[in-house]
Amino acid sequence: QVQLVESGGGLVQAGGSLRLSCVTSRITFSIYDMGWYRQAPGKQRELVAVITSGGSTNYADSVKGRFTISRDNAKSTVYLQMNNLKPEDTAVYYCNANIGVSNYWGQGTQVTVSS
Protein backbone atom coordinates (compact mmCIF):
# COMPACT_ATOMS: atom_id res chain seq x y z
CA GLN A 1 0.00 0.00 0.00
CA VAL A 2 1.39 3.38 -1.02
CA GLN A 3 1.93 5.77 1.87
CA LEU A 4 2.83 9.43 2.07
CA VAL A 5 3.38 10.61 5.63
CA GLU A 6 3.82 14.30 6.37
CA SER A 7 5.39 15.72 9.50
CA GLY A 8 6.83 18.98 10.80
CA GLY A 9 3.72 21.09 11.09
CA GLY A 10 2.86 23.07 14.18
CA LEU A 11 2.21 26.48 15.69
CA VAL A 12 4.68 29.26 14.95
CA GLN A 13 4.72 33.02 15.25
CA ALA A 14 4.73 35.24 12.20
CA GLY A 15 8.24 35.56 10.86
CA GLY A 16 9.19 32.11 12.06
CA SER A 17 10.18 29.00 10.16
CA LEU A 18 9.07 25.40 9.81
CA ARG A 19 10.35 22.47 7.78
CA LEU A 20 7.83 19.96 6.51
CA SER A 21 8.83 16.45 5.53
CA CYS A 22 6.96 13.84 3.52
CA VAL A 23 8.25 10.28 3.63
CA THR A 24 6.91 7.96 0.96
CA SER A 25 6.80 4.20 0.71
CA ARG A 26 5.95 1.65 -1.96
CA ILE A 27 6.47 4.00 -4.89
CA THR A 28 9.48 4.45 -7.14
CA PHE A 29 10.04 7.86 -5.63
CA SER A 30 12.64 9.09 -8.09
CA ILE A 31 10.27 9.01 -11.07
CA TYR A 32 7.50 10.98 -9.39
CA ASP A 33 6.92 14.70 -9.49
CA MET A 34 6.41 15.75 -5.88
CA GLY A 35 4.33 18.63 -4.68
CA TRP A 36 3.12 20.43 -1.61
CA TYR A 37 -0.43 21.75 -1.53
CA ARG A 38 -2.36 23.54 1.18
CA GLN A 39 -5.96 24.07 2.11
CA ALA A 40 -7.15 26.79 4.44
CA PRO A 41 -10.59 26.66 6.08
CA GLY A 42 -13.30 27.54 3.58
CA LYS A 43 -10.88 27.64 0.67
CA GLN A 44 -9.92 25.28 -2.14
CA ARG A 45 -6.74 23.27 -2.04
CA GLU A 46 -3.96 25.15 -3.82
CA LEU A 47 -0.53 24.30 -5.13
CA VAL A 48 2.32 25.64 -3.01
CA ALA A 49 5.38 24.16 -4.68
CA VAL A 50 6.37 21.32 -6.96
CA ILE A 51 9.64 19.60 -7.75
CA THR A 52 9.83 17.38 -10.79
CA SER A 53 11.63 14.07 -11.05
CA GLY A 54 14.39 15.99 -12.81
CA GLY A 55 14.72 18.52 -10.01
CA SER A 56 12.98 21.51 -11.58
CA THR A 57 10.95 23.57 -9.14
CA ASN A 58 7.95 25.85 -9.34
CA TYR A 59 6.27 27.93 -6.66
CA ALA A 60 3.04 29.77 -6.05
CA ASP A 61 3.62 33.52 -6.29
CA SER A 62 2.53 33.92 -2.67
CA VAL A 63 5.45 31.84 -1.37
CA LYS A 64 8.24 32.68 -3.80
CA GLY A 65 11.37 33.77 -1.98
CA ARG A 66 10.12 32.37 1.34
CA PHE A 67 9.58 28.63 0.72
CA THR A 68 11.98 26.08 -0.73
CA ILE A 69 11.05 22.61 -1.92
CA SER A 70 13.68 19.89 -2.12
CA ARG A 71 13.89 16.14 -2.42
CA ASP A 72 16.15 13.32 -1.32
CA ASN A 73 15.65 10.36 -3.63
CA ALA A 74 17.78 8.11 -1.43
CA LYS A 75 15.37 8.70 1.45
CA SER A 76 12.20 8.83 -0.67
CA THR A 77 11.44 12.11 1.03
CA VAL A 78 10.38 15.56 -0.08
CA TYR A 79 10.80 18.66 2.08
CA LEU A 80 9.31 22.11 2.28
CA GLN A 81 11.38 24.72 4.09
CA MET A 82 9.12 27.61 5.06
CA ASN A 83 10.68 30.86 6.20
CA ASN A 84 9.22 34.23 7.12
CA LEU A 85 5.85 32.62 7.72
CA LYS A 86 2.75 34.79 7.62
CA PRO A 87 -0.70 34.27 9.18
CA GLU A 88 -2.10 33.72 5.68
CA ASP A 89 0.12 30.62 5.39
CA THR A 90 -2.10 28.92 7.99
CA ALA A 91 -3.53 25.77 6.41
CA VAL A 92 -3.34 22.03 6.27
CA TYR A 93 -0.37 21.12 4.08
CA TYR A 94 -0.57 18.02 1.90
CA CYS A 95 2.13 16.09 0.12
CA ASN A 96 1.41 14.82 -3.40
CA ALA A 97 3.14 12.30 -5.64
CA ASN A 98 2.19 12.34 -9.29
CA ILE A 99 3.22 10.74 -12.57
CA GLY A 100 -0.04 11.32 -14.37
CA VAL A 101 -1.59 7.88 -14.28
CA SER A 102 -0.74 7.55 -10.60
CA ASN A 103 -1.51 10.27 -8.08
CA TYR A 104 -1.20 9.92 -4.33
CA TRP A 105 -1.87 12.17 -1.32
CA GLY A 106 -0.74 12.26 2.25
CA GLN A 107 -3.05 12.83 5.19
CA GLY A 108 -1.90 16.40 5.78
CA THR A 109 -0.15 18.32 8.52
CA GLN A 110 -1.49 21.46 10.16
CA VAL A 111 0.51 24.67 10.02
CA THR A 112 -0.74 27.56 12.13
CA VAL A 113 0.94 30.96 12.05
CA SER A 114 -0.02 33.41 14.77
CA SER A 115 0.23 37.16 14.31
Side-chain angles (χ1 to χ4, degrees), residues 8-20 65-68 80-86 89 111-114:
L11 174 64
V12 64
Q13 288 189 331
S17 298
L18 286 173
R19 188 194 194 203
L20 305 184
R66 299 189 297 122
F67 291 10
T68 303
L80 186 68
Q81 178 67 44
M82 305 186 295
N83 298 328
N84 190 23
L85 282 159
K86 303 177 180 181
D89 295 318
V111 171
T112 302
V113 184
S114 63

CSV table of all heavy atoms in Angstrom, one decimal, residues 8-20 65-68 80-86 89 111-114:
chain,number,residue,atom,x,y,z
A,8,GLY,N,6.1,17.7,10.7
A,8,GLY,CA,6.8,19.0,10.8
A,8,GLY,C,5.9,20.2,11.0
A,8,GLY,O,6.4,21.3,11.2
A,9,GLY,N,4.6,20.0,10.9
A,9,GLY,CA,3.7,21.1,11.1
A,9,GLY,C,3.7,21.5,12.6
A,9,GLY,O,4.3,20.8,13.4
A,10,GLY,N,3.0,22.6,12.8
A,10,GLY,CA,2.9,23.1,14.2
A,10,GLY,C,2.4,24.5,14.2
A,10,GLY,O,2.0,25.1,13.2
A,11,LEU,N,2.6,25.1,15.4
A,11,LEU,CA,2.2,26.5,15.7
A,11,LEU,C,3.5,27.3,15.7
A,11,LEU,O,4.4,26.9,16.5
A,11,LEU,CB,1.4,26.6,17.0
A,11,LEU,CG,1.1,28.0,17.5
A,11,LEU,CD1,0.2,28.7,16.5
A,11,LEU,CD2,0.5,27.9,18.9
A,12,VAL,N,3.5,28.4,15.0
A,12,VAL,CA,4.7,29.3,14.9
A,12,VAL,C,4.2,30.7,14.8
A,12,VAL,O,3.1,31.0,14.3
A,12,VAL,CB,5.6,28.9,13.8
A,12,VAL,CG1,4.9,29.1,12.4
A,12,VAL,CG2,6.9,29.6,13.8
A,13,GLN,N,5.0,31.6,15.4
A,13,GLN,CA,4.7,33.0,15.3
A,13,GLN,C,5.1,33.5,13.9
A,13,GLN,O,6.0,33.0,13.2
A,13,GLN,CB,5.5,33.8,16.3
A,13,GLN,CG,4.9,33.6,17.7
A,13,GLN,CD,5.6,34.6,18.7
A,13,GLN,OE1,6.7,35.0,18.6
A,13,GLN,NE2,4.8,34.9,19.8
A,14,ALA,N,4.4,34.6,13.5
A,14,ALA,CA,4.7,35.2,12.2
A,14,ALA,C,6.2,35.6,12.2
A,14,ALA,O,6.8,36.1,13.2
A,14,ALA,CB,3.9,36.5,12.0
A,15,GLY,N,6.8,35.3,11.0
A,15,GLY,CA,8.2,35.6,10.9
A,15,GLY,C,9.1,34.3,11.1
A,15,GLY,O,10.3,34.3,10.8
A,16,GLY,N,8.5,33.3,11.7
A,16,GLY,CA,9.2,32.1,12.1
A,16,GLY,C,9.3,31.2,10.9
A,16,GLY,O,8.9,31.5,9.8
A,17,SER,N,9.9,30.0,11.2
A,17,SER,CA,10.2,29.0,10.2
A,17,SER,C,9.7,27.6,10.6
A,17,SER,O,9.6,27.3,11.8
A,17,SER,CB,11.7,28.9,9.9
A,17,SER,OG,12.2,30.2,9.4
A,18,LEU,N,9.4,26.8,9.6
A,18,LEU,CA,9.1,25.4,9.8
A,18,LEU,C,9.6,24.6,8.6
A,18,LEU,O,9.7,25.2,7.5
A,18,LEU,CB,7.6,25.1,9.9
A,18,LEU,CG,6.8,25.6,11.2
A,18,LEU,CD1,5.3,25.4,11.0
A,18,LEU,CD2,7.3,24.7,12.4
A,19,ARG,N,9.9,23.4,8.9
A,19,ARG,CA,10.4,22.5,7.8
A,19,ARG,C,9.4,21.3,7.8
A,19,ARG,O,9.4,20.5,8.7
A,19,ARG,CB,11.8,22.0,8.0
A,19,ARG,CG,12.4,21.3,6.8
A,19,ARG,CD,13.6,20.6,7.1
A,19,ARG,NE,14.4,20.1,5.9
A,19,ARG,CZ,15.3,19.1,6.0
A,19,ARG,NH1,15.5,18.5,7.1
A,19,ARG,NH2,15.9,18.8,4.9
A,20,LEU,N,8.7,21.1,6.7
A,20,LEU,CA,7.8,20.0,6.5
A,20,LEU,C,8.6,18.8,5.8
A,20,LEU,O,9.4,19.1,4.9
A,20,LEU,CB,6.6,20.3,5.7
A,20,LEU,CG,5.7,21.5,6.2
A,20,LEU,CD1,4.5,21.7,5.3
A,20,LEU,CD2,5.4,21.3,7.7
A,65,GLY,N,10.4,33.1,-2.8
A,65,GLY,CA,11.4,33.8,-2.0
A,65,GLY,C,11.3,33.4,-0.5
A,65,GLY,O,12.2,33.8,0.3
A,66,ARG,N,10.3,32.7,-0.1
A,66,ARG,CA,10.1,32.4,1.3
A,66,ARG,C,10.2,30.9,1.5
A,66,ARG,O,10.7,30.4,2.6
A,66,ARG,CB,8.8,32.9,1.9
A,66,ARG,CG,8.6,34.4,1.8
A,66,ARG,CD,7.4,34.9,2.6
A,66,ARG,NE,6.2,34.4,2.0
A,66,ARG,CZ,5.3,33.6,2.7
A,66,ARG,NH1,5.5,33.3,3.9
A,66,ARG,NH2,4.2,33.2,2.1
A,67,PHE,N,9.6,30.1,0.6
A,67,PHE,CA,9.6,28.6,0.7
A,67,PHE,C,10.6,28.0,-0.3
A,67,PHE,O,10.8,28.5,-1.4
A,67,PHE,CB,8.2,28.1,0.4
A,67,PHE,CG,7.1,28.5,1.4
A,67,PHE,CD1,7.3,29.4,2.4
A,67,PHE,CD2,5.9,27.9,1.3
A,67,PHE,CE1,6.4,29.7,3.4
A,67,PHE,CE2,4.9,28.2,2.2
A,67,PHE,CZ,5.1,29.1,3.3
A,68,THR,N,11.1,26.9,0.1
A,68,THR,CA,12.0,26.1,-0.7
A,68,THR,C,11.6,24.6,-0.7
A,68,THR,O,11.5,24.0,0.4
A,68,THR,CB,13.4,26.2,-0.3
A,68,THR,OG1,13.8,27.6,-0.3
A,68,THR,CG2,14.4,25.5,-1.3
A,80,LEU,N,9.7,20.7,2.6
A,80,LEU,CA,9.3,22.1,2.3
A,80,LEU,C,9.8,23.0,3.4
A,80,LEU,O,9.3,22.9,4.6
A,80,LEU,CB,7.8,22.2,2.2
A,80,LEU,CG,7.3,23.6,1.8
A,80,LEU,CD1,7.7,23.9,0.3
A,80,LEU,CD2,5.8,23.7,1.9
A,81,GLN,N,10.9,23.8,3.1
A,81,GLN,CA,11.4,24.7,4.1
A,81,GLN,C,10.6,26.0,4.0
A,81,GLN,O,10.5,26.6,2.9
A,81,GLN,CB,12.9,25.0,3.8
A,81,GLN,CG,13.5,26.0,4.8
A,81,GLN,CD,13.5,25.5,6.2
A,81,GLN,OE1,13.9,24.4,6.5
A,81,GLN,NE2,13.2,26.4,7.1
A,82,MET,N,10.0,26.4,5.1
A,82,MET,CA,9.1,27.6,5.1
A,82,MET,C,9.7,28.6,6.0
A,82,MET,O,9.8,28.4,7.2
A,82,MET,CB,7.7,27.2,5.5
A,82,MET,CG,7.1,26.1,4.7
A,82,MET,SD,5.4,25.8,5.1
A,82,MET,CE,5.5,25.2,6.8
A,83,ASN,N,10.1,29.8,5.4
A,83,ASN,CA,10.7,30.9,6.2
A,83,ASN,C,9.8,32.1,6.1
A,83,ASN,O,8.9,32.2,5.2
A,83,ASN,CB,12.1,31.2,5.7
A,83,ASN,CG,13.1,30.1,5.8
A,83,ASN,OD1,13.0,29.3,6.7
A,83,ASN,ND2,14.0,30.0,4.8
A,84,ASN,N,10.0,33.0,7.1
A,84,ASN,CA,9.2,34.2,7.1
A,84,ASN,C,7.7,33.9,7.0
A,84,ASN,O,7.0,34.5,6.1
A,84,ASN,CB,9.7,35.2,6.0
A,84,ASN,CG,9.1,36.6,6.2
A,84,ASN,OD1,8.7,37.0,7.3
A,84,ASN,ND2,9.0,37.3,5.1
A,85,LEU,N,7.2,33.0,7.8
A,85,LEU,CA,5.9,32.6,7.7
A,85,LEU,C,4.9,33.8,8.1
A,85,LEU,O,5.2,34.6,8.9
A,85,LEU,CB,5.6,31.4,8.6
A,85,LEU,CG,6.1,30.1,8.1
A,85,LEU,CD1,6.3,29.1,9.1
A,85,LEU,CD2,5.1,29.6,7.0
A,86,LYS,N,3.8,33.8,7.4
A,86,LYS,CA,2.7,34.8,7.6
A,86,LYS,C,1.5,34.1,8.1
A,86,LYS,O,1.2,32.9,7.8
A,86,LYS,CB,2.5,35.5,6.3
A,86,LYS,CG,3.8,36.2,5.7
A,86,LYS,CD,3.5,36.8,4.4
A,86,LYS,CE,4.7,37.4,3.8
A,86,LYS,NZ,4.4,38.1,2.5
A,89,ASP,N,-0.4,31.9,5.7
A,89,ASP,CA,0.1,30.6,5.4
A,89,ASP,C,-0.6,29.5,6.2
A,89,ASP,O,-0.3,28.3,6.0
A,89,ASP,CB,1.6,30.6,5.6
A,89,ASP,CG,2.4,31.5,4.7
A,89,ASP,OD1,2.1,31.6,3.5
A,89,ASP,OD2,3.3,32.1,5.2
A,111,VAL,N,-0.4,23.6,9.8
A,111,VAL,CA,0.5,24.7,10.0
A,111,VAL,C,-0.3,25.9,10.4
A,111,VAL,O,-1.3,26.3,9.7
A,111,VAL,CB,1.3,25.0,8.8
A,111,VAL,CG1,2.1,26.3,9.0
A,111,VAL,CG2,2.3,23.9,8.4
A,112,THR,N,0.0,26.4,11.6
A,112,THR,CA,-0.7,27.6,12.1
A,112,THR,C,0.3,28.7,12.4
A,112,THR,O,1.2,28.4,13.2
A,112,THR,CB,-1.5,27.2,13.4
A,112,THR,OG1,-2.4,26.1,13.1
A,112,THR,CG2,-2.3,28.4,13.9
A,113,VAL,N,0.0,29.8,11.8
A,113,VAL,CA,0.9,31.0,12.0
A,113,VAL,C,0.2,32.1,12.8
A,113,VAL,O,-0.8,32.6,12.3
A,113,VAL,CB,1.5,31.5,10.7
A,113,VAL,CG1,2.5,32.6,11.0
A,113,VAL,CG2,2.1,30.4,9.9
A,114,SER,N,0.6,32.4,14.0
A,114,SER,CA,0.0,33.4,14.8
A,114,SER,C,0.6,34.8,14.5
A,114,SER,O,1.8,34.9,14.2
A,114,SER,CB,0.1,33.1,16.2
A,114,SER,OG,1.5,33.1,16.7
